[in-house]
Amino acid sequence: METLTGPRMPCPEDTVARLLLLCLVLLQVTGASGTTDIVVAYNLTWKSTNFKTILEWEPKPINHVYTVQISPRLGNWKSKCFYTTDTECDLTDEIVSDVNQTYLARVFSYPADATDYTGEPQFRNSPEFTPYLETKLGRPKIQSHEQVGTKLNVTVQDARTLVRMDGTFLTLREVFGKDLSYTLYYWKASSTGKKTAKTNTNEFLVDVDKEESYCFNVQAVIPSRKINQKSPESPIVCTSQDKGVSREMLFIIGIVVLVVIVLTVILAVSLYKCRKRRGGRGGKESTPLNIA
Ligand SMILES: *[C@@H]1O[C@H](CO)[C@@H](O)[C@H](O)[C@H]1NC(C)=O
Ligand SMILES: *[C@@H]1O[C@H](CO)[C@@H](O)[C@H](O)[C@H]1NC(C)=O
Ligand SMILES: *[C@@H]1O[C@H](CO)[C@@H](O)[C@H](O)[C@H]1NC(C)=O
């Protein structure tokens, strides 16, 4: 990184101290105008998931602002996020027009009062970025599932991306075609032994045991990739197969048992009180008989 210093004034050796002083003052003025203490952005990082693409960098600006430029590999720079005090810039709109292109971005630093700035701005280049090969795969969602007999049918939701073609947004499947596959991890709810299945559609149809509940989740995969090959795993979903007594049935039985217990207790208590009362009355009745 080269720093720009202000125009250096020639200070001939034979000049008097006054001239030297003038030189110093001039240097200080150019320094104060901000050319020497502008921080050049560093740690430029692409954050991209399902083609939503943001360039991030450091540091938080103090006395300066940033402007971002992006271009396909060879030239044609386009400016974005003009004079921003943010440390990120959304470049999605620029990359979705051609996701197979390799892009380069750069972040320029300007003094905060950039209007009267005429110097050569400093910048740093980002790493190269090829959306099709590098954008991370978002966490997939299970759209629907069905377990009938010995078959479990799981459908993965086809996420919409911001990639546009003829005015409509394409889904992940439409962008990646057969390059995209999904992995299904499934296991009996009563055990932990996992099985896997793969598909290069968004649907799974796997054999399962009848009347067993299963749990499963899915993961998007692009096997041909070197990096960011796999998405995070989707949330886990479970089927509830009725094995003898269903959960609702258990609930009803529980309530019935509870009611029976409560009734029994009430009955027992009232019977006891009844008998006690009758016993007491019997005693009173017998007393006069004894006297007689
Ligand atoms: C860039 O970021 C990484 C972590 O994200 C950090 O370890 C590193 O120190 C940063 N580089 C600079 C120059 O600060
Ligand atoms: C991008 O490249 C892949 C593989 O090279 C290809 O299958 C796909 O059709 C290309 N997509 C576009 C939009 O050009
Ligand atoms: C699986 O479920 C999906 C969505 O409900 C349905 O469109 C598809 O036909 C089912 N597949 C099979 C083989 O039953």
Side-chain angles (χ1 to χ4, degrees):
M1 168 193 89
E2 71 275 45
T3 44
L4 279 172
T5 50
R8 231 173 261 280
M9 303 303 290
C11 299
E13 312 252 3
D14 55 10
T15 49
V16 285
R18 221 177 48 183
L19 251 176
L20 255 172
L21 198 70
L22 188 68
C23 285
L24 274 175
V25 167
L26 272 170
L27 273 174
Q28 251 168 358
V29 166
T30 50
S33 80
T35 49
T36 53
D37 58 0
I38 287 185
V39 182
V40 178
Y42 56 85
N43 260 359
L44 280 66
T45 317
W46 295 95
K47 294 279 164 70
S48 179
T49 301
N50 286 1
F51 299 103
K52 168 91 177 163
T53 300
I54 290 165
L55 183 73
E56 294 182 359
W57 62 89
E58 290 179 72
K60 284 250 170 284
I62 299 163
N63 235 329
H64 62 282
V65 290
Y66 298 111
T67 294
V68 175
Q69 286 191 340
I70 180 165
S71 105
R73 194 181 251 136
L74 293 169
N76 198 16
W77 293 99
K78 181 169 180 187
S79 294
K80 299 283 289 181
C81 303
F82 296 92
Y83 306 124
T84 181
T85 52
D86 290 339
T87 51
E88 57 169 51
C89 182
D90 191 333
L91 296 172
T92 308
D93 288 348
E94 306 311 312
I95 62 100
V96 290
S97 55
D98 185 357
V99 292
N100 275 334
Q101 183 64 252
T102 297
Y103 295 90
L104 187 67
R106 53 194 192 187
V107 177
F108 288 86
S109 301
Y110 297 93
D113 48 355
T115 41
D116 59 354
Y117 186 71
T118 49
E120 193 68 19
Q122 299 165 64
F123 65 90
R124 183 158 346 246
N125 285 326
S126 73
E128 286 188 341
F129 177 69
T130 309
Y132 192 89
L133 302 176
E134 292 175 64
T135 194
K136 285 185 179 149
L137 299 169
R139 194 182 195 200
K141 281 202 190 90
I142 291 167
Q143 181 172 303
S144 63
H145 63 89
E146 194 180 20
Q147 186 177 348
V148 179
T150 59
K151 294 285 181 191
L152 173 64
N153 174 349
V154 177
T155 306
V156 184
Q157 190 180 318
D158 194 9
R160 201 196 61 154
T161 71
L162 293 166
V163 180
R164 247 177 299 186
M165 192 174 277
D166 305 326
T168 57
F169 293 104
L170 301 183
T171 65
L172 210 55
R173 170 66 63 200
E174 286 168 333
V175 178
F176 286 114
K178 293 295 174 203
D179 285 348
L180 173 67
S181 59
Y182 285 95
T183 305
L184 173 75
Y185 303 96
Y186 62 109
W187 59 96
K188 279 181 192 171
S190 55
S191 82
T192 51
K194 284 190 187 182
K195 285 186 177 177
T196 62
K198 286 191 190 305
T199 181
N200 55 10
T201 69
N202 282 47
E203 239 177 64
F204 293 95
L205 194 63
V206 293
D207 289 319
V208 291
D209 288 351
K210 218 176 166 183
E211 292 182 345
E212 278 279 355
S213 295
Y214 279 82
C215 292
F216 49 88
N217 63 0
V218 298
Q219 182 175 43
V221 186
I222 298 183
S224 58
R225 275 189 175 184
K226 293 189 188 72
I227 56 160
N228 298 336
Q229 210 181 40
K230 294 176 176 176
S231 76
E233 290 178 20
S234 77
I236 294 169
V237 170
C238 294
T239 62
S240 57
Q241 286 298 295
D242 305 345
K243 219 177 158 189
V245 191
S246 74
R247 206 182 294 170
E248 289 81 1
M249 204 58 184
L250 275 176
F251 186 68
I252 291 166
I253 287 172
I255 287 188
V256 167
V257 166
L258 201 73
V259 165
V260 165
I261 288 172
V262 168
L263 280 178
T264 311
V265 168
I266 290 173
L267 204 69
V269 168
S270 51
L271 268 179
Y272 172 76
K273 279 188 176 168
C274 242
R275 199 171 298 159
K276 213 174 135 189
R277 209 180 303 142
R278 204 187 298 147
R281 217 182 292 139
K284 266 179 208 159
E285 272 163 12
S286 64
T287 318
L289 276 177
N290 282 350
I291 289 164

